[in-house]
Amino acid sequence: MPQYLFTDSTYTIFKENTLPRLALVNMFTENSAPIFRSLHSHEDCASILFVLEGSCICTVGHEKYTLHAGDIACINAGTLHGTATAQKNQSYKIIGLDIKNLHFKGLSPYQLIDNEAYPILHTKTYQSMMTSYGMILLELAPLSASPHEAQTANHLVYSFLFMLHKLIHESKDYAKAKSYNLGLQIKEYIDEHYLENLKLPQIAEALHMNTYYLSHTFKKTIGYSPMQYVTHRRIGEAQNMLLSTDLTVTEIAMRCGWNNSNYFQSVFNNIVGMPPGKYRKAWKSK
């Protein structure tokens, strides 16, 4: 029978006196459309999307990526991302992890990777091991109220993050910088002002651009027209408020740039697939 001795090591990838904590586990499939998340970000945690089966398209930052089984999307705090969508005739199963109190050595808090690094990793030879971590976390999720199961899940996340850290620094794509271009300049302006009464001519005037050229450039870079992007950003912010506050739907509509609650609910329903109130209940019942 083979015998293996492990290195006795106190090596850690985390900043001194910090340990990450698993805040949330989700599983997404192509049938998860009723709880679709529009473009949104988290300021107090990092997120991981790990494709267990199939393939899908997800948005991270300003780009859309095609992910296959074994691929991981690394999402830093403050990075916009959206729920995965299926490719034609494709199914998928994804585990989503939200991790608080993460502080890798050499990075800012809640960062999995450098902000300029390529956010998609391929697990390759580690796929089976990391899939096992993911499946056990899904089994533990319904028992998360128990301190024993919760602590077990945290230790599994430590292990998952150690292997992820190794993959990041072995990846040939790690140093692949994102090119800064005009489309991103437009996006930065919209991200700063999307909750205001923003119109296309206003954006064009602020950036000293022709409206047609601005729209064409932005859509080529981001995949949405400027006003579609504004709408998705507002819906994403509304979803965050629905899940993290007790504000009424009308109050949330006003805070997210809509003066008409009925119109907000109509737009929300068209994008998310259900009204805001039902969406809130669906997530809180999970």
Side-chain angles (χ1 to χ4, degrees), residues 11-253:
Y11 170 75
T12 181
I13 56 176
F14 306 116
K15 190 173 180 181
E16 186 178 357
N17 297 323
T18 68
L19 279 177
R21 179 176 67 83
L22 181 61
L24 183 70
V25 178
N26 264 317
M27 189 177 77
F28 303 100
T29 70
E30 69 278 8
N31 297 317
S32 297
I35 51 172
F36 170 81
R37 291 297 311 266
S38 189
L39 290 172
H40 65 288
S41 63
H42 307 288
E43 299 304 322
D44 62 347
C45 66
S47 299
I48 291 169
L49 296 177
F50 179 30
V51 183
L52 299 176
E53 298 176 12
S55 61
C56 63
I57 300 170
C58 74
T59 302
V60 180
H62 69 281
E63 294 185 28
K64 292 184 178 181
Y65 299 91
T66 300
L67 277 66
H68 303 281
D71 288 347
I72 295 175
C74 299
I75 304 164
N76 292 336
T79 299
L80 288 173
H81 56 286
T83 300
T85 56
Q87 295 180 287
K88 188 175 181 181
N89 299 322
Q90 292 285 332
S91 62
Y92 63 83
K93 181 186 291 185
I94 296 175
I95 181 173
L97 307 176
D98 286 351
I99 301 169
K100 292 196 171 186
N101 201 40
L102 174 68
H103 198 168
F104 279 149
K105 288 180 178 179
L107 292 176
S108 298
Y110 312 123
Q111 278 193 314
L112 289 159
I113 55 174
D114 187 282
N115 280 326
E116 297 303 314
Y118 192 68
I120 309 302
L121 296 172
H122 311 290
T123 53
K124 298 178 181 176
T125 57
Y126 302 108
Q127 181 176 344
S128 177
M129 180 194 307
M130 300 190 80
T131 298
S132 297
Y133 287 144
M135 296 304 293
I136 298 172
L137 285 170
L138 287 174
E139 288 184 33
L140 289 169
L143 307 171
S144 58
S146 164
H148 291 83
E149 279 78 2
Q151 195 63 280
T152 300
N154 280 331
H155 282 285
L156 281 170
V157 166
Y158 305 156
S159 301
F160 189 95
L161 288 171
F162 264 93
M163 298 311 300
L164 184 67
H165 190 268
K166 180 179 177 70
L167 283 169
I168 289 168
H169 291 281
E170 287 180 352
S171 171
K172 294 178 181 179
D173 293 324
Y174 180 70
K176 186 189 289 184
K178 298 177 182 178
S179 60
Y180 186 90
N181 56 40
L182 195 53
L184 293 183
Q185 184 181 350
I186 300 165
K187 175 183 172 294
E188 286 182 358
Y189 180 84
I190 295 176
D191 285 341
E192 290 178 7
H193 300 278
Y194 72 95
L195 293 177
E196 302 170 12
N197 186 25
L198 202 59
K199 304 294 182 186
L200 187 60
Q202 176 189 342
I203 303 171
E205 182 179 355
L207 297 175
H208 310 290
M209 295 176 65
N210 173 274
T211 54
Y212 173 79
Y213 181 65
L214 181 147
S215 294
H216 177 76
T217 301
F218 186 83
K219 188 165 186 177
K220 184 178 179 181
T221 305
I222 307 300
Y224 291 109
S225 73
M227 300 317 295
Q228 284 175 329
Y229 181 76
V230 168
T231 298
H232 278 264
R233 286 290 281 118
R234 288 178 175 178
I235 291 296
E237 182 61 22
Q239 288 175 306
N240 281 340
M241 289 187 182
L242 285 165
L243 300 183
S244 62
T245 76
D246 293 321
L247 293 172
T248 67
V249 170
T250 298
E251 288 173 323
I252 290 173

